[in-house]
Structure formats: C-alpha cells, structure tokens
Amino acid sequence: MSNAGSSATRAGTSRSGPPETRFTALRREITSPSLSFLMEAHDGLSAKIVEEAGFRGIWASGLTTSAALGLRDSNEASWTQVLDVLEYMADATTLPILVDGDTGHGNFNNVRRFVRKLCQRGIAGVCIEDKLFPKTNSFIGDAQPLADIDEFCGRIKAGKDSQTDDDFVLVARVEALISGRGMEEALHRAEAYHRAGADAILIHSKKSDADEIFTFAERWGNRAPLVIVPTMYYATPTDLFRQAGISTIIWANHLLRSSMAAMRETAARIHEDESLVRVEGSVATVKDIFRLVGNAELEDAERRYLPARPAAGAVVLAASGGELGGLTLDQPKCMVDIRGQSLLQRLVGTLRESGVRDVTVVRGYRKEAVSLQGIRMLDNDRHAETGEAWSLACAREVIRGETIVAYGDVLFRRYILHSLLTSSADIVVAVDTLGVSHPHPGKRDLVTADHGFSGDYLDDQPVHLRRMASDIAPREIAGEWMGLARFSARGAEWLQEEIAAMEAEGLLEHGDMPLLLTRLAAKHPVRVKYFTGHWLDVDTLTDLAEARNFT
Ligand code: SPV
Ligand code: MG
C-alpha cells in the first residue's frame, strides 16, 4: 500500500518533543512500569475501532486474523498473507501493532525475513512462541510439543539481529504451562529467552484462574516485562495483575467474537423476516461506515486535486401571470406560497442543493412582487404579448456554459435534476410518462420521441425528442415535458443559435419552449429522460393543493 512506508515512521502517540514512532510507542507501553493494554484487531476496520475506543496499541491476533479469512489457526494463511492484513491495519490506524508471529513461520531464517518485512511495514513488534511449525492454537488439545530451547533461542537472536529499528519489540512466548510442563520448565525457558535477547516474556496459561500466572510473576521478579493473555482466566480482577507487576494485558480475541455474535443475530433476523425492518435500528449506519473509513478526507482531497468543474447556471422562466384567481392578482404564480415558502424559493432550493448556484429569474407579470436573495433578476417587460422563447431570450447574456432551463411553476424531486446534470447528452429534457394514456386536455408540452418508455430497468438505450407540442396524436404521446431541461456548454451554444434563428424568422416573440425544443431536435440530438411522477406544475388551484402536499 502506498503509504505503508511513511506510516512506519509517522507519529503514533505524540507527547511533547519530536513525534514518536510506532516502534518507540510500543516499546514504551511494554517497558513502562504501569499496566498497559493491547486490544485485538484482525483487519483495517477492527483496527480503527480499537483506536477509536482509546487503546494505545493493537494485538494482531493469529487466531482472529485467520478466522476472519475463514481459516484455522494452524498457519493456513501464509506469512505473506498475514503481512498483507497487517499492512491494511497499519494503514488504517496510527497505533503500534504487536503481531502474533506464531512460531516465526519456520526456523531462524524465516524469522529473519519476517522481522525485516515487519519493520518495513511499520509493525512495531512480534511475539513468537516456543512451539513447532505448523502451530496449533494453545487452547486445542494437551501436551503440545515444545521447541528445543536452544533452537528457539536461535530464532529469538535471529529476529533481534534482523530488526531495522532499534525500538522494534520481540516478545518470547512461553508455552510450558499450556503444555503441562510445569512451573520450573516455564521459568527456565523464560530465563533462556530473556538471555537470548527477548524484550519481554509472554507467559501463557489456559487455566480458569490466574494462580499459575501469579506464581510465575512472583518468581520471575521483573527480570523482563511480563505479558499475559487472560482469555481463560477472564474473571480475575485487573487490579490483581497490576499489583503483580504485569506489564501488558492482551485482550486477545474479543472484537472478532463480538462481531460474530452480532453478525449471526442480524443474519438470522433478516433470514427469518425477509425484511430489514427489525435490524435497522440496531446495526451501524452506512454513514458511520463512511465516517470510520474517512470519506470526509477524500472529499477534502477531491477539492484539492480534482479540476473544479464549472458550476451549472439556471434560467427560471417566471414571467407569466397564471390563473390562480385571487392568489395571482398581486403576484405571479412563482410567488404563491407552498407551506411557508414560495414556489420559486422551493425551486431555487432544489437547484442549490444540486450545486446550481448561479440562478437567473426572468420575471414579468407583477415583477415587483418577485424577490429572492442571491438571485439575478432579468425582466421581460413585454410579458403580456410575448411567449416563453422571448422570456428566455431576455436571459441570453447568462446562457453560456452548462445551463438548466426551468419553468418557474414546477416542483420536482432532486434526483430528477441530478439525473439531467449527470447526463452525457448536450441537451436533455425531463419527461414524465405517467398519465400518458389520458393526457390532461390543457397540456401543451406533450412529447413524441423515437422510443417510448419501456419500463424495463435494463433498457438504457438513449431516447431522442422528435416533437414537443400540444397537438400530438394520442397514440404518439410518449409523455409530458416537466418544464426542466439541461444544456451542456455546447448545448447552450446551440440554444443561442436557435434563439437567433427564431428571431431572424420573426418567430421569437410568440414562440414557446415546445417550439424552441422541437426546432433544436430537428438539428441536434435532444435526449429524453423518462421519469414516472415525482414532480408537478402549478397551473390550476387543484395543482396548487397537490403542491402543498408535495413537500
Ligand atoms: C492469538 O490471539 O492468536 C493468540 C492468543 O495466540 S491465544 O489464542 O490465547 O493463544
Ligand atoms: Mg496465536
């Protein structure tokens, strides 16, 4: 992974002075007189959770790393596969990691290579146990064979001679108590390993009480730091270990075990219910995943490194009066209130939420009543005798670059706009296919296209506008234009050209948007995007009532 090298030397826990490396941080934890704790992790995500909980070091357990890969704790994962997992863990956190190196993956020579690779990847320490390759988990069976003491000391020396950072920690794990060889053998081995250069001794026990650990600690007398794994004697109060002078406690497998319990329960519920309803409240949110893996940092980086895409602008056509009785006596339709916000305010809100900030409104009827902060206003003072094409032409100066054109009396869900904004077409119009079979008699923005809406999820062939008008034959109607179109920078140039052409032909004054779009479709591809509802326009009082329910 790209940043593994730098993570080797990046600060772990920073006190005052120069930043501390992870190697130094682990050495400090292991050698400090106070009791330290290492928490198990088995992948990048669990490593992050350990760090988030406040631990100062990670135990990369052999048992749980294997199990998370679906393997047994019997060296079934190769040492390079273990190294790959460690790299994800190191990249995911700043904490020092003590890796369970099992028996060292072979003889002294394998230990040498393993330790060199660990140092390269910023893994702060390794624990090797005095058993034979391939290893067996300590809690399986009795009287597992132990390594020859001198041979194991050779593995320790080889490891220490191969470390490339002075603070790399090698912990020698004594399995004599686990194998039933007794206290004297355990002490004898610990002494030999200490002399061979081990930085700490892990004394392991599988008894349900900690008596043999306390006896060992007393007789050991702090010759080197002692590390313990109280998986089986979990009920012993931690303070007793503190009093016994233990250096470090490893909580060896509890994140994997807790996640197994949670995953089982969730899987069983979903299987039984064929629904997510009962589990939704008890599982981590998707947002939490984004947070934990650092999506916010990626967004920052995108701002720093990606070329900024010029933001789209919008022209909102809001010059006409509307026929909403008393509601449109003193104000145009776009200013009618929909639950505390004007139609225009809602429309502009949707545009802004989608990153379209440069909004121009072409007003006309009762223009003094049209106001909205941060919006450019242009006027069509001939609104009473002109059509939409003329209103749009009033905004010619702002039609450059990517441009949205919208009627001022429409509301639509944000995904519809998003879909137009992400289209690769130069001109794309949003068309509603609902109500196609019985079009409203007053509708004028009816669409005929080269393909109707198939309703097939997998049908993604592009559809193109043929004509937009009020007089489309019923069987030809593919849908109704929602009053929302997007033009790419090139599409905006074509739009300017078409406005100029209509002007030259004397059609601009009375032309409407359907005519303009139909003319464009005759010269350029005008893409149709089908939707099924999720929008409305406000032509009548009934529409208005619906709009008030829409938000
Ligand atoms: C591990 O976590 O893989 C260990 C500790 O080696 S134990 O399972 O207790 O042996
Ligand atoms: Mg292990």
Side-chain angles (χ1 to χ4, degrees):
M1 247 139 281
S2 58
N3 62 349
S6 63
S7 67
T9 50
R10 199 173 49 219
T13 319
S14 176
R15 302 273 190 279
S16 57
E20 188 181 48
T21 68
R22 299 198 216 214
F23 298 103
T24 314
L26 183 63
R27 178 162 291 276
R28 185 173 43 71
E29 290 299 327
I30 299 272
T31 56
S32 78
S34 60
L35 182 60
S36 300
F37 301 93
L38 298 179
M39 182 74 219
E40 171 264 333
H42 48 273
D43 57 16
L45 191 78
S46 53
K48 279 179 185 291
I49 287 171
V50 170
E51 182 160 32
E52 198 176 51
F55 284 99
R56 296 216 292 264
I58 291 174
W59 167 247
S61 156
L63 171 67
T64 67
T65 300
S66 313
L69 295 170
L71 298 176
R72 289 166 285 218
D73 187 15
S74 304
N75 294 122
E76 288 184 339
S78 73
W79 70 266
T80 55
Q81 288 170 327
V82 171
L83 207 58
D84 286 346
V85 175
L86 289 170
E87 199 169 42
Y88 281 107
M89 289 168 60
D91 281 350
T93 68
T94 60
L95 294 183
I97 298 172
L98 176 66
V99 58
D100 178 357
D102 293 336
T103 57
H105 301 283
N107 70 3
F108 78 93
N109 193 34
N110 303 91
V111 174
R112 291 199 301 182
R113 189 155 164 73
F114 190 49
V115 167
R116 277 200 300 270
K117 289 290 156 191
L118 292 176
C119 288
Q120 281 171 11
R121 284 169 166 74
I123 308 303
V126 68
C127 174
I128 55 172
E129 62 198 56
D130 54 356
K131 293 202 306 231
L132 307 174
F133 181 89
K135 58 82 51 90
T136 305
N137 184 274
S138 302
F139 302 138
I140 296 175
D142 295 311
Q144 289 184 21
L146 298 186
D148 171 80
I149 294 179
D150 290 337
E151 187 274 330
F152 189 67
C153 285
R155 281 187 246 169
I156 294 171
K157 283 183 195 149
K160 288 305 290 176
D161 286 346
S162 305
Q163 68 187 50
T164 53
D165 189 291
D166 288 347
D167 283 334
F168 181 83
V169 170
L170 189 146
V171 178
R173 168 162 155 181
V174 176
E175 289 279 296
L177 300 179
I178 294 274
S179 292
R181 302 281 201 95
M183 189 60 65
E184 297 310 319
E185 173 83 8
L187 285 160
H188 175 60
R189 283 176 173 263
E191 178 57 27
Y193 304 160
H194 175 42
R195 284 223 197 105
D199 298 294
I201 298 296
L202 190 159
I203 181 67
H204 206 11
S205 165
K206 60 181 179 184
K207 293 235 165 93
S208 60
D209 63 57
D211 290 355
E212 59 185 11
I213 293 292
F214 291 130
T215 305
F216 184 95
E218 198 182 341
R219 294 192 53 192
W220 180 247
N222 259 330
R223 273 173 273 174
L226 273 191
V227 181
I228 61 167
V229 185
T231 303
M232 293 302 173
Y233 46 96
Y234 61 87
T236 309
T238 299
D239 250 349
L240 296 186
F241 297 130
R242 203 172 260 122
Q243 286 157 23
I246 300 297
S247 148
T248 302
I249 292 180
I250 293 175
W251 310 120
N253 44 45
H254 299 77
L255 291 196
L256 184 95
R257 285 166 62 190
S258 57
S259 64
M260 275 174 66
M263 287 194 284
R264 266 206 190 106
E265 193 175 323
T266 303
R269 282 213 165 160
I270 296 174
H271 183 256
E272 194 181 313
D273 296 358
E274 296 185 347
S275 160
L276 302 175
V277 169
R278 267 209 301 164
V279 303
E280 187 56 31
S282 56
V283 295
T285 60
V286 173
K287 249 192 187 157
D288 194 13
I289 303 175
F290 295 156
R291 184 195 55 76
L292 198 54
V293 299
N295 277 45
E297 190 281 333
L298 179 57
E299 280 168 29
D300 281 351
E302 281 171 353
R303 276 189 281 280
R304 257 178 289 136
Y305 301 122
L306 286 181
R309 180 174 181 257
V315 176
V316 177
L317 303 176
S320 64
E323 284 127 31
L324 299 177
L327 286 173
T328 49
L329 273 186
D330 302 329
Q331 60 183 7
K333 230 182 344 182
C334 69
M335 293 309 288
V336 167
D337 181 89
I338 311 280
R339 293 208 218 153
Q341 281 192 328
S342 67
L343 253 174
L344 184 62
Q345 219 170 342
R346 290 198 177 277
L347 172 60
V348 169
T350 308
L351 289 165
R352 284 189 170 149
E353 282 167 13
S354 303
V356 181
R357 299 190 174 278
D358 184 7
V359 180
T360 302
V361 175
V362 181
R363 54 186 188 174
Y365 175 78
R366 297 276 185 248
K367 67 178 184 186
E368 59 294 340
V370 181
S371 65
L372 199 58
Q373 265 206 335
I375 298 298
R376 184 186 300 106
M377 300 289 174
L378 295 174
D379 297 337
N380 175 6
D381 289 326
R382 295 181 56 210
H383 63 89
E385 76 258 15
T386 57
E388 293 148 359
W390 186 266
S391 285
L392 186 60
C394 292
R396 267 175 180 175
E397 66 194 78
V398 299
I399 300 173
R400 70 187 108 75
E402 187 179 11
T403 305
I404 300 290
V405 174
Y407 285 159
D409 60 352
V410 292
L411 291 180
F412 42 83
R413 295 269 180 242
R414 188 147 51 113
Y415 79 89
I416 293 175
L417 178 59
H418 181 257
S419 168
L420 299 198
L421 283 167
T422 51
S423 165
S424 58
D426 287 309
I427 305 178
V428 54
V429 293
V431 172
D432 183 22
T433 63
L434 282 186
V436 165
S437 43
H438 307 289
H440 190 283
K443 295 289 177 204
R444 353 157 286 156
D445 301 330
L446 300 173
V447 164
T448 179
D450 56 3
H451 295 101
F453 175 61
S454 70
D456 180 352
Y457 172 75
L458 295 174
D459 178 10
D460 52 5
Q461 66 174 331
V463 180
H464 294 99
L465 178 72
R466 281 212 181 116
R467 194 161 82 91
M468 189 186 293
S470 55
D471 62 347
I472 310 267
R475 66 190 152 71
E476 297 275 308
I477 298 172
E480 179 186 0
W481 184 46
M482 299 181 189
L484 183 65
R486 172 192 156 268
F487 299 81
S488 69
R490 192 149 71 131
E493 280 172 24
W494 294 340
L495 180 58
Q496 289 277 16
E497 285 166 19
E498 203 47 46
I499 290 172
M502 284 176 71
E503 190 172 34
E505 293 170 44
L507 295 172
L508 193 61
E509 276 183 272
H510 303 294
D512 56 13
M513 284 304 293
L515 175 66
L516 179 51
L517 288 166
T518 301
R519 287 174 59 102
L520 276 165
K523 297 176 187 168
H524 310 285
V526 173
R527 183 83 62 87
V528 167
K529 275 249 172 189
Y530 287 127
F531 299 93
T532 49
H534 292 178
W535 77 291
L536 51 86
D537 59 353
V538 181
D539 288 331
T540 63
L541 285 171
T542 316
D543 291 342
L544 181 63
E546 228 179 278
R548 285 176 171 156
N549 290 331
F550 185 77
T551 51

